[in-house]
């Protein structure tokens, strides 16, 4: 009799333990399912709030000189940075395989259209890729931004680009006013460009 009671009690305890363990696993799983999308959303979220100008452009009187280069566009024409002196220039280093570059390219293309009549030249510099591949990608997406190819990565290396994307803003005097590693969306781009135009 006592033996049966002990066996029954052990069975009940085992049953309760199994239920408790299962509930803990489900709870942990739900917490994981909730937390992962939140983290992803934070990474993906575009910049929409105004950014203090003082935190964007280099306010120092001594700005680094831009490095002159000559690269070819998708039509085979040579583009020389020195020839653009007197205009503000936005350089964007990117590649077709770079997912973060792909996220910002639509915004860069839009900004190119918004400022086409302003004193700004936008140049998208493809790093380490051939003209045919880049041309196909640009045509497929209907982008109108002037695109240059840097197949041997020489210009990217001269500008210290070791990861993509990188945005560099150059003023009319050929000085680097702002540099950023990472994705830039429309509102942040407009904030930087507007201040660049005001200062020039």
């Amino acid at each position: 009799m006592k033996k049966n009671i002990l066996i029954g009690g052990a069975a009940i305890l085992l049953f309760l333990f199994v239920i408790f363990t299962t509930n803990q696993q489900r709870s942990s799983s739900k917490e994981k399912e909730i937390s992962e999308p939140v983290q992803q959303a934070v990474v993906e979220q575009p910049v929409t709030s105004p950014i203090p100008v003082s935190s964007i452009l280099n306010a120092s009187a001594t700005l680094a000189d831009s490095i002159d280069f000559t690269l070819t566009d998708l039509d085979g024409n040579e583009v020389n940075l020195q020839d653009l002196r007197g205009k503000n220039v936005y350089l964007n280093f990117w590649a077709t395989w770079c997912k973060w570059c792909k996220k910002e390219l639509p915004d860069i293309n839009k900004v190119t259209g918004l400022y086409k009549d302003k004193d700004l030249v936008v140049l998208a510099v493809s790093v380490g890729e051939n003209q045919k591949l880049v041309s196909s990608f640009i045509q497929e997406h209907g982008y109108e931004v002037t695109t240059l190819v840097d197949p041997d990565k020489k210009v990217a290396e001269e500008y210290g680009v070791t990861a993509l994307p990188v945005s560099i803003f150059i003023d009319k005097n050929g000085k680097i006013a702002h540099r950023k590693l990472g994705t830039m969306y429309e509102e942040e781009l407009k904030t930087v460009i507007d201040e660049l135009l005001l200062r020039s």
Side-chain angles (χ1 to χ4, degrees):
M1 182 72 176
K2 289 183 180 181
K3 185 177 180 181
N4 290 338
I5 293 174
L6 288 174
I7 292 172
I12 292 171
L13 287 175
L14 180 61
F15 177 74
L16 291 174
F17 176 77
V18 170
I19 291 175
F20 176 79
T21 304
T22 303
N23 287 338
Q24 286 293 100
Q25 288 176 348
R26 286 178 180 174
S27 175
S28 176
S29 177
K30 286 180 180 178
E31 287 176 3
K32 187 176 181 182
E33 288 173 2
I34 293 171
S35 64
E36 285 182 351
V38 171
Q39 292 174 352
Q40 184 71 9
V42 171
V43 172
E44 300 279 356
Q45 185 177 6
V47 176
T48 55
S49 58
I51 302 164
V53 168
S54 59
S55 70
I56 294 178
L57 294 185
N58 190 342
S60 171
T62 304
L63 302 177
D65 290 323
S66 59
I67 302 168
D68 189 30
F69 63 79
T70 299
L71 290 175
T72 304
D73 67 18
L74 299 182
D75 294 321
N77 303 310
E78 288 189 345
V79 176
N80 182 271
L81 185 63
Q82 180 68 33
D83 294 340
L84 300 176
R85 190 63 56 86
K87 294 181 180 292
N88 297 291
V89 178
Y90 167 33
L91 291 180
N92 177 261
F93 291 90
W94 70 287
T96 61
W97 50 263
C98 167
K99 74 173 184 177
W100 300 110
C101 304
K102 292 177 182 179
K103 289 180 182 294
E104 71 175 358
L105 273 172
D107 290 56
I108 292 173
N109 189 65
K110 185 174 181 180
V111 164
T112 299
L114 291 173
Y115 291 88
K116 66 179 180 180
D117 296 325
K118 303 291 178 69
D119 211 4
L120 177 73
V121 176
V122 180
L123 300 174
V125 182
S126 171
V127 180
E129 299 180 305
N130 65 62
Q131 183 175 334
K132 184 177 180 181
L133 173 66
V134 177
S135 181
S136 176
F137 178 88
I138 293 295
Q139 289 179 10
E140 178 185 347
H141 292 84
Y143 296 143
E144 297 180 354
V145 59
T146 300
T147 304
L148 311 179
V149 288
D150 181 21
D152 57 4
K153 306 180 184 179
K154 183 178 179 181
V155 175
E157 288 173 0
E158 289 179 343
Y159 275 89
V161 174
T162 57
L164 299 172
V166 170
S167 291
I168 298 176
F169 298 83
I170 302 170
D171 67 19
K172 289 183 176 181
N173 299 313
K175 304 289 186 179
I176 297 175
H178 181 62
R179 176 188 180 109
K180 179 179 177 178
L181 167 64
T183 308
M184 293 186 74
Y185 293 98
E186 181 183 352
E187 290 306 313
E188 185 178 6
L189 285 167
K190 286 163 63 176
T191 302
V192 176
I193 292 169
D194 286 344
E195 178 58 18
L196 184 64
L197 295 176
L198 283 173
R199 286 179 44 172
S200 60

